[in-house]
Every structure is written in C-alpha cells, then in structure tokens.
Amino acid sequence: MAQARDAEATKARIFAAATAEFAAHGIAGARIDRIAREAKANKQLIYAYFGDKAELFRQVIQHAMLDLAAAVPPDPEDPAGYLDRLMAYHAAHPELLRLMLWEGLEYGSGGSEVQREEERRASYAAKAAAFAAAQERGAIDRYLPPQHLVFIISALAGWPVAVSQFRRLLVGDTEEDAARLSESLHAAVRRLTGTEGSPPKGSPTEGPEPEGPRPQGS
C-alpha cells in the first residue's frame, strides 16, 4: 500500500512538473531531464510511467482539460456568469491556455495529431448539447448554433489571458480597464444569447418578489 501511495505521489509530481515545462517550452522544446529534476524523479521512471514525451503531453493536456470541465461546468441558463467563471479559471490556471496554444502551433489542424481528439469532440459536444437544450426550453435565443455559442464564449473567456499583451496594449491594464472589458464581454454574450434583460444569477434583482401587501391597482 505504501508503495502504491509513493507511486501516485511521484506521478503527481511528474504531472505538475510536466505541466509547467510544456506550458513554458511547448512540446518540442520541453526536456524530460528538466521535468525529472523538478519532479525529483528518475528520468527512466517517467518513460516507464508515461512512454515517450508526446504521450506525456497528451496525458498532461487531457488532465488539464478534465480539471477545467469539472471546475466550470457549462451553465447555459446564466451565460454571462459562465463567462465570468471561465475567465476566473483561466486567470488562476493560465497553463491550460498555454498548453492549447503550443498544441495549435506544433500540431495545428493535423487531425490525428491533435491530442485525444475523439474524447475532446465528445466533451465539446456535451457542452453544446447543454446550450441546445436551453435553446429548446426558450431560456436562451436560437440566434446562433449551440456549437458556435460554446466556441465564442470560450474564446471570449480565454483570449484576454492567452494574449495578455494584446489586451494590455489595446484595452489597458488597470482594474478599471478590466472591469470595463468584463462589462463589454457580458454585453456581447447577453446579446448573442438573447438574455440582455436577465439579471445575473445571485444578483439582488433576481428571485421572487418580496413578501408583503401589493400596492392597490397592481
């Protein structure tokens, strides 16, 4: 049992070190010896656990995407709030976007080279299905296909972190600038989903009317 715990702890350290290494250097630029040094693990043990460097990257990016899916499930009933939660996640975990940017640079749209493509298609399809169901219920507008909504909201949430220099140079870098950008992104998402008049979940204006006598004539 202790040996199994040690193996899991070693794998966790390797995952953390590999995530940082791939996010910083990409797939081609990453070095297994640096990962081993940071993880305090034997280099040959990494190969034994994960195979080659490409397979290690596949597992690292899959782990990061599963973490996002668990932390921020789709919420088509509150698209602006969903955008906020995605933005907060990416701000706290910028490594996922960096991993995806490196993947795009090194694999592009090469089909079979994209990591765990079929699993990711299924994950994206499930998110789109949640938005499609909300459209069927009339909770959000049918102006755009649900797949496009997921793509656009994901892009709006990720781009300010992925290319922070673009955001800083064009929009500004103060807290006030960030708040104004957030308001604009909210407005865009509400316009696209037809929820302009809906207050955010948890806002003081949401919920049942307060108890008490109704005014005469109402």
Side-chain angles (χ1 to χ4, degrees):
M1 185 66 71
Q3 186 175 2
R5 284 198 300 269
D6 288 345
E8 289 304 310
T10 301
K11 287 182 180 180
R13 292 198 308 273
I14 293 170
F15 253 96
T19 299
E21 177 74 8
F22 285 125
H25 302 287
I27 305 162
R31 294 290 178 266
I32 294 295
D33 56 349
R34 285 197 297 251
I35 295 172
R37 186 168 59 249
E38 288 298 317
K40 296 180 175 57
N42 184 285
K43 183 177 177 179
Q44 295 307 314
L45 192 61
I46 296 177
Y47 289 118
Y49 282 151
F50 300 102
D52 60 14
K53 185 168 67 170
E55 176 58 26
L56 177 57
F57 177 78
R58 279 192 285 272
Q59 294 195 36
V60 163
I61 195 169
Q62 179 72 358
H63 182 271
M65 296 188 76
L66 287 173
D67 185 76
L68 169 63
V72 191
D75 187 1
E77 302 286 344
D78 181 23
Y82 178 50
L83 172 76
D84 275 342
R85 289 185 287 279
L86 282 173
M87 291 180 69
Y89 182 91
H90 287 311
H93 305 278
E95 63 276 3
L96 172 57
L97 290 170
R98 292 171 187 159
L99 291 170
M100 294 184 73
L101 288 172
W102 279 116
E103 180 188 50
L105 285 170
E106 300 197 34
Y107 291 141
S109 56
S112 62
E113 291 298 323
V114 173
Q115 309 306 296
R116 301 188 183 277
E117 183 170 341
E118 292 308 313
E119 293 178 28
R120 285 161 64 176
R121 282 183 187 274
S123 175
Y124 298 149
K127 292 181 180 180
F131 277 82
Q135 288 177 327
E136 288 292 328
R137 295 192 300 271
I140 59 175
D141 195 38
R142 297 191 186 195
Y143 174 64
L144 292 178
Q147 298 90 339
H148 296 186
L149 281 176
V150 173
F151 184 85
I152 291 169
I153 292 173
S154 299
L156 291 175
W159 205 238
V161 173
V163 285
S164 57
Q165 77 280 17
F166 180 33
R167 172 190 50 76
R168 177 176 57 83
L169 294 171
L170 181 63
V171 176
D173 206 28
T174 68
E175 290 186 4
E176 185 179 25
D177 294 328
R180 287 177 177 172
L181 177 60
S182 179
E183 290 174 5
S184 295
L185 295 177
H186 284 178
V189 168
R190 290 196 174 108
R191 180 73 58 87
L192 290 171
T193 55
T195 55
E196 294 98 324
S198 302
K201 279 187 178 179
S203 70
T205 56
E206 187 192 43
E209 294 184 9
E211 296 182 1
R214 296 175 60 84
Q216 292 296 320
S218 61

